[in-house]
Amino acid sequence: MKPFLRQQLERYPVRLQELDFFLQQPEVVHDMERYRALTREHAEVSEVAGLFERFRHCESGLAQAREMLEDAEMAEMARDEMAAIEAELPGLEDELQRMLLPKDPDDARNTFLEIRAGTGGDESALFAGDLLRMYARYAERQGWRCEIVSESQGEVGGYKEIVIRLVGDGVYGKLKFESGGHRVQRVPATETQGRIHTSACTVAALPEPDEAQAVKINPADLRIDTYRASGAGGQHINKTDSAVRVTHIPTGIVAECQDDRSQHRNKAKAMQVLAARIQEKERSERAAKEAATRKGLVGSGDRSDRIRTYNFPQGRLTDHRINLTLYKLQFAMEGELDEVIEALLLARKAEQLEELEFSQGAPR
């Protein structure tokens, strides 16, 4: 184990003793907010400290087994014990590393997923529809609920823009690296010469804000318009002004919702989307000021601005950020995205580990 990791882990048993002491104090017990916070921390610290104790126990057992090798009668048993411990230690170390990495508090949140057609006209809108289906199938596999918030359909099918809300466990943690430009290379259904075209869409994954921590929006900064929803939705759809468009005047950010018969419910959903977009804007501005790489960059929708390419003639999916190429495009389009998403999460874990090591070795 790297020394900087061991130094970090050795703090946990000490912190656990401190927390045990604090949780016994009357002033803490009577302050429910502080008590809950310390209880949550105690559970997290206890888990790490317990696993680290197991790791140290294995290290001690390994050292003893090596000493036993010198005894001819005990050598065979010592070799068996060493093999078992050496097989267990790497897994324990990996798990301890994972526990030490900074956690994104938004990972557990529901997510607004926005898909917009970019370069490519009708073909781009059709591809936006394919991406929607891909994410909807993935959501179904994960046991998440999918709700359409707003949509603008393409002329020949697909979507110029569609916003969906995904509800379930750990949605944002899985989808946060989907933000960016998605490029498709294929022969469009409308192409008579059989030529391959390149089109693009943009995807943005936004965590649904916690109502208690959501950005505060001044009602005076809002312009709210109602209109008649378009598209499928039953006979009522063109008879009532149930769709709602909310504009945040200071930033120009707009959110719409048209999927409900109730204007009131549509307004509430539009306000949620608006808050998520404003929060994402503030988050990206903070990241820029800190000179950090904003991984949620959506991009312009241009063909050259992409995080991933879907090449249908070759059956190839390529994620350019981690140089991952899979010849399983048809499976991916059916929602089998686990391999891609896990690779992105592993790459981020490696980055975080490097950042953690640098922060420990950086001069103070």
Side-chain angles (χ1 to χ4, degrees), residues 166-208:
L166 295 167
V167 180
D169 293 330
V171 181
Y172 185 68
K174 292 284 184 72
L175 295 182
K176 60 184 175 183
F177 299 126
E178 293 305 297
S179 293
H182 294 242
R183 183 176 68 170
V184 62
Q185 295 171 326
R186 65 184 178 187
V187 179
T190 53
E191 169 60 55
T192 57
Q193 304 297 318
R195 293 172 297 191
I196 295 172
H197 288 226
T198 300
S199 303
C201 290
T202 60
V203 173
L206 310 175
E208 184 177 81

Side-chain angles (χ1 to χ4, degrees), residues 51 54-55 57-58 81-95:
L51 195 64
R54 171 66 186 160
F55 181 84
H57 178 74
C58 284
E81 190 170 339
M82 285 173 61
I85 294 173
E86 286 170 348
E88 185 179 2
L89 276 173
L92 290 173
E93 185 170 347
D94 283 348
E95 184 64 13

Side-chain angles (χ1 to χ4, degrees), residues 130-142 144 175 310 317 328-341:
D130 292 337
L131 288 177
L132 171 68
R133 182 174 180 273
M134 178 183 79
Y135 288 122
R137 287 289 180 92
Y138 178 68
E140 187 179 343
R141 291 172 183 275
Q142 299 296 312
W144 301 338
L175 295 182
Y310 305 74
L317 180 149
K328 301 176 179 179
L329 180 57
Q330 204 56 49
F331 294 104
M333 298 308 293
E334 290 296 322
E336 295 185 24
L337 294 174
D338 293 295
E339 194 168 349
V340 183
I341 287 171

Side-chain angles (χ1 to χ4, degrees), residues 1-2 5 9 92-101 349 353 356:
M1 178 179 285
K2 293 181 179 180
L5 284 173
L9 289 165
L92 290 173
E93 185 170 347
D94 283 348
E95 184 64 13
L96 285 166
Q97 283 184 8
R98 185 191 65 78
M99 288 179 164
L100 284 181
L101 297 179
K349 176 183 171 183
L353 202 57
L356 187 63

Side-chain angles (χ1 to χ4, degrees), residues 9 18 25 30 33 77-78 85 94 129 141 153 197 204 230 243 245 248 270 292 295-296 299 309:
L9 289 165
E18 292 175 350
Q25 303 311 302
H30 293 104
E33 188 173 340
M77 185 172 70
I85 294 173
D94 283 348
R141 291 172 183 275
Q153 297 184 356
H197 288 226
S230 58
R245 180 186 297 111
H248 186 243
K295 291 177 173 57
T309 295

Side-chain angles (χ1 to χ4, degrees), residues 22-23 27-28 31-39:
F22 290 142
L23 287 168
E27 64 270 22
V28 172
D31 183 346
M32 286 309 297
E33 188 173 340
R34 189 180 176 204
Y35 182 78
R36 279 195 295 267
L38 288 173
T39 302

